[in-house]
Amino acid sequence: MTTLVLTVVGADRAGLVAAVADVVDANGGNWETSELAELAGAFAGIIEVSVADDRVDDLRAALTGLDGLLTVAVHASETSPTDDVDMRRLAFTVLGNDRPGIVREISATLSAHDLSIERMSSETYDAAMSGGRLFEAKIVARAAASVDIDAVQSALEELAAEIQVDVTLGS
């Protein structure tokens, strides 16, 4: 079996997920994992699909038939299930007044300590009492066993004080 990662984007409307699922199924693929969302009127997602080696080209060709409905990019997976064996995860939440640069600062700190962002979701919303905008992100980062997690936590705490956000570890 071959694992493919599909990225999809298009104007949001009913039936987009069904259209992709139909193509995957009709070409012998299996929908494994996905993250899908509507953002500002656009539908976007990333989908992991497994398919028999001899059906990969057929599935790729069939997905091009979705042009006009969705833009689909197909990427061959470059990892195997054993690549993650010695990895550790660090989960945390960032919350503070919204301003440009929060994601840049957090991601730069993680990168400087050799962590890779595995999953991140973020949003901005109106603060209940102050009338301003709040930024909130939930992040799961992946690190090799050799990474000093205590040093990463200290760096995140220092950054939180510097850019005036709350970082809650283990969330």
Side-chain angles (χ1 to χ4, degrees):
M1 296 294 279
T2 296
T3 299
L4 300 175
V5 176
L6 316 178
T7 56
V8 299
V9 67
D12 189 36
R13 65 183 196 209
L16 296 177
V17 173
V20 176
D22 286 346
V23 170
V24 169
D25 184 63
N27 289 277
N30 185 44
W31 189 295
E32 302 278 343
T33 305
S34 62
E35 291 287 332
L36 309 167
E38 181 276 329
L39 300 167
F43 173 79
I46 186 165
I47 307 159
E48 178 185 0
V49 173
S50 61
V51 63
D53 296 338
D54 63 340
R55 303 284 311 266
V56 171
D57 292 335
D58 293 338
L59 177 56
R60 282 180 184 266
L63 288 166
T64 63
L66 294 173
D67 286 346
L69 182 64
L70 283 167
T71 301
V72 180
V74 181
H75 312 272
S77 176
E78 297 180 12
T79 61
S80 68
T82 59
D83 289 345
D84 233 11
V85 172
D86 292 330
M87 302 302 278
R88 295 183 295 167
R89 285 172 177 70
L90 175 67
F92 61 98
T93 300
V94 178
L95 177 64
N97 290 321
D98 186 35
R99 67 166 185 76
I102 295 173
V103 172
R104 178 182 48 81
E105 295 287 345
I106 296 289
S107 61
T109 298
L110 294 173
S111 179
H113 290 274
D114 294 325
L115 275 82
S116 176
I117 295 175
E118 181 174 282
R119 191 172 296 267
M120 180 177 124
S121 62
S122 65
E123 66 179 320
T124 59
Y125 51 89
D126 291 329
M129 298 298 207
S130 68
R133 297 284 291 165
L134 293 176
F135 171 85
E136 182 174 20
K138 295 178 191 275
I139 301 170
V140 177
R142 186 177 60 220
S146 60
V147 170
D148 182 353
I149 294 296
D150 290 335
V152 174
Q153 290 176 346
S154 293
L156 286 171
E157 289 166 1
E158 287 175 31
L159 177 63
E162 182 181 316
I163 65 173
Q164 298 178 344
V165 298
D166 292 327
V167 172
T168 306
L169 298 168
S171 300

